[in-house]
Amino acid sequence: MTIISEVHDYWCNFTRHFSPYSVLSEIFLEAMVDTSIKMPCSVLQKTDDNVEFIFWYKNDGVNAFYTLDARSRPLGEASHVRNETYGDRVRFYVTAAQPYLQLDSLKAEDSGAYFCRVDYQWSATELTKVNLVVIVPPKKLIIRDDSGQEVRDVAGPYRERSTISLSCEAQKGIPAPNVTWWRQ
């Protein structure tokens, strides 16, 4: 809301920023690529109020990729509408003890912030934020000797007590892989 008032030759500009939503919880989840994830949504069953809509958004998207319409009916009988972004990979289980959105066959680009917005008939809208990181293992590990040549099976031969240098490169992977060496 912006208020501007004129008093003689002076201007006063007041801006108030506010969020019309109450964020109930923020959750951090990780899952491997090609698996499934269950992202919880806080849906409070209130005796004096009803859920009208539940929307799922990704990042700061304007268009919901999943909508549940429960106007004038119990949650278990609500209509579910999903857009083509996720197709059959997404389902919302609203009647579970802890309602959740299941996303199957995870892809690297599924990483991001997801918001479950619950609109009640009378109460304030509530949000659950789920931060999802989809882990993608490295495509290939390459071991190189001190001359920069790729080691295929066995490094060497080397003279006893000589100093050797091997490096390991992990190609791709999300998040960026950490490489450690182990000795048996």
Side-chain angles (χ1 to χ4, degrees):
M1 166 169 66
T2 302
I3 300 171
I4 300 174
S5 63
E6 184 180 347
V7 180
H8 303 288
D9 292 332
Y10 299 97
W11 291 87
C12 175
N13 187 2
F14 171 73
T15 303
R16 179 176 174 224
H17 298 280
F18 61 92
S19 172
Y21 308 120
S22 166
V23 177
L24 289 181
S25 59
E26 184 170 7
I27 300 156
F28 296 86
L29 298 175
E30 292 182 343
M32 290 295 290
V33 69
D34 296 325
T35 65
S36 296
I37 189 76
K38 293 178 180 178
M39 296 186 281
C41 177
S42 297
V43 179
L44 304 175
Q45 299 295 330
K46 301 178 179 187
T47 54
D48 58 341
D49 205 353
N50 298 313
V51 171
E52 296 233 313
F53 289 100
I54 299 176
F55 301 99
W56 278 92
Y57 300 91
K58 183 177 179 197
N59 297 327
D60 292 326
V62 211
N63 300 317
F65 67 85
Y66 199 100
T67 303
L68 181 134
D69 182 351
R71 288 175 293 177
S72 306
R73 61 187 118 178
L75 277 176
E77 297 171 17
S79 70
H80 295 248
V81 178
R82 56 183 167 221
N83 72 15
E84 66 282 348
T85 306
Y86 296 96
D88 292 338
R89 295 192 309 129
V90 66
R91 284 184 295 287
F92 186 51
Y93 295 90
V94 71
T95 57
Q98 168 65 63
Y100 63 91
L101 182 88
Q102 181 167 318
L103 184 55
D104 298 324
S105 304
L106 288 172
K107 302 174 183 180
E109 57 268 21
D110 291 332
S111 288
Y114 290 81
F115 296 89
C116 175
R117 180 179 124 188
V118 182
D119 290 349
Y120 297 92
Q121 184 175 11
W122 303 109
S123 302
T125 294
E126 296 170 328
L127 284 177
T128 302
K129 181 179 182 183
V130 180
N131 298 290
L132 174 63
V133 174
V134 177
I135 299 170
V136 180
K139 293 289 182 202
K140 184 177 181 183
L141 291 174
I142 299 173
I143 298 176
R144 297 188 188 280
D145 62 19
D146 41 4
S147 67
Q149 296 299 311
E150 185 176 344
V151 176
R152 297 268 181 205
D153 296 314
V154 177
Y158 295 101
R159 291 186 172 189
E160 258 186 70
R161 300 182 199 267
S162 65
T163 301
I164 65 169
S165 176
L166 298 174
S167 64
C168 182
E169 299 171 13
Q171 294 186 337
K172 301 200 178 185
I174 300 171
N178 258 345
V179 177
T180 56
W181 289 90
W182 296 80
R183 181 180 176 182
Q184 286 187 319

